[in-house]
Amino acid sequence: MRTALAVGADGDAPMPFSSAEIEAGRKLFAADWQFVAAAGTLERLPPMRGVEIAFAGRSNVGKSSLINALTGRKALARTSHTPGRTQELIFFQATPALALVDMPGYGYAEAPKAKVAAWTALIHDYLAGRANLARVYVLIDARHGLKDADADVLKTLGVAAVSYQIVLTKADQVKPAELEKKISETAAVIQKRAAAFPEIIVTSSREGSGLPEFRAAIARLLKERA
Ligand code: GTP
Ligand code: MG
């Protein structure tokens, strides 16, 4: 299976990272990441410190697992087989310069209506209104591709002009040919959207594929914003 995992919209060569950038990513994520805050409402958001990058996506897509895999911590973020595990915005930091934000999932139809409405409002308000939000990683299950539930979030990010990038998750669950198909289908949709980063990152938190490049991408972003 392909492991270098960011592919251009036209399916060209993987996004290049120098070995120094890969090392910078490794170092950034080898630091001591800790839980710093949880916010179930906008009023409870922690003060803005450094830049924030958020992990958004449908319930159960693997947001919390990806944060654990990137940081090399088994249980920093709470994960679960059943959707609806993460119910607040969860902030992690290892340095004041950067916070990783684990978000509640959207598109989870089985949860009580009032809860879904509250999560949805929180997700959209945070994504549209957080001044230090540098990039949003929108996670998409590689088996399923983009779904209707993703459209609202992409729209919110587009209207708010927040830069975002698509991350295909659970790449270990699809055959290489199917993965290529999902990458090009997703890239075709994203190409039309101005706020979207053209490359798609492909990961498996279970097998670790795509993680060194993803860490390097975040280190590069941090360097650009510093
Ligand atoms: P919510 O917080 O409920 O929105 O879910 P989430 O997006 O945070 O998903 P979570 O990380 O809790 O993972 C959901 C399920 O997917 C768990 O059973 C994980 O073990 C599984 N999972 C996550 N990443 C991968 C992966 O890369 N490969 C495979 N095969 N399973 C994964
Ligand atoms: Mg979660």
Side-chain angles (χ1 to χ4, degrees), residues 63-64 78 85-86 102-103:
K63 300 173 292 296
S64 304
R78 292 166 73 186
R85 168 77 271 179
T86 308
D102 190 10
M103 300 188 73

Side-chain angles (χ1 to χ4, degrees), residues 68-84:
N68 290 340
L70 286 169
T71 57
R73 298 272 305 273
K74 273 211 166 67
L76 182 62
R78 292 166 73 186
T79 66
S80 155
H81 292 296
T82 50

Side-chain angles (χ1 to χ4, degrees), residues 2-138:
R2 203 198 258 272
T3 52
L5 278 315
V7 179
D10 53 358
D12 61 4
M15 185 156 74
F17 289 104
S18 66
S19 50
E21 285 181 308
I22 294 283
E23 176 56 16
R26 188 198 64 74
K27 253 176 116 171
L28 177 62
F29 282 91
D32 185 21
W33 288 90
Q34 296 290 342
F35 166 86
V36 290
T41 63
L42 284 188
E43 294 71 39
R44 298 184 68 94
L45 286 175
M48 292 187 253
R49 274 212 305 171
V51 299
E52 288 173 10
I53 61 174
F55 294 73
R58 296 172 70 218
S59 276
N60 215 46
V61 71
K63 300 173 292 296
S64 304
S65 300
L66 188 54
I67 288 175
N68 290 340
L70 286 169
T71 57
R73 298 272 305 273
K74 273 211 166 67
L76 182 62
R78 292 166 73 186
T79 66
S80 155
H81 292 296
T82 50
R85 168 77 271 179
T86 308
Q87 307 200 346
E88 297 172 295
L89 298 171
I90 315 285
F91 293 74
F92 303 101
Q93 287 195 303
T95 146
L98 177 67
L100 306 180
V101 185
D102 190 10
M103 300 188 73
Y106 49 78
Y108 176 40
E110 310 303 315
K113 268 197 176 137
K115 269 196 161 181
V116 172
W119 292 340
T120 307
L122 178 66
I123 291 166
H124 286 263
D125 289 348
Y126 169 79
L127 292 177
R130 187 75 163 169
N132 62 333
L133 185 56
R135 180 156 307 151
V136 178
Y137 291 103
V138 180

Side-chain angles (χ1 to χ4, degrees), residues 122-158:
L122 178 66
I123 291 166
H124 286 263
D125 289 348
Y126 169 79
L127 292 177
R130 187 75 163 169
N132 62 333
L133 185 56
R135 180 156 307 151
V136 178
Y137 291 103
V138 180
L139 276 54
I140 304 289
D141 191 316
R143 294 171 297 188
H144 307 139
L146 281 163
K147 295 280 179 195
D148 289 346
D150 300 307
D152 285 349
V153 163
L154 299 192
K155 191 170 166 208
T156 290
L157 292 168

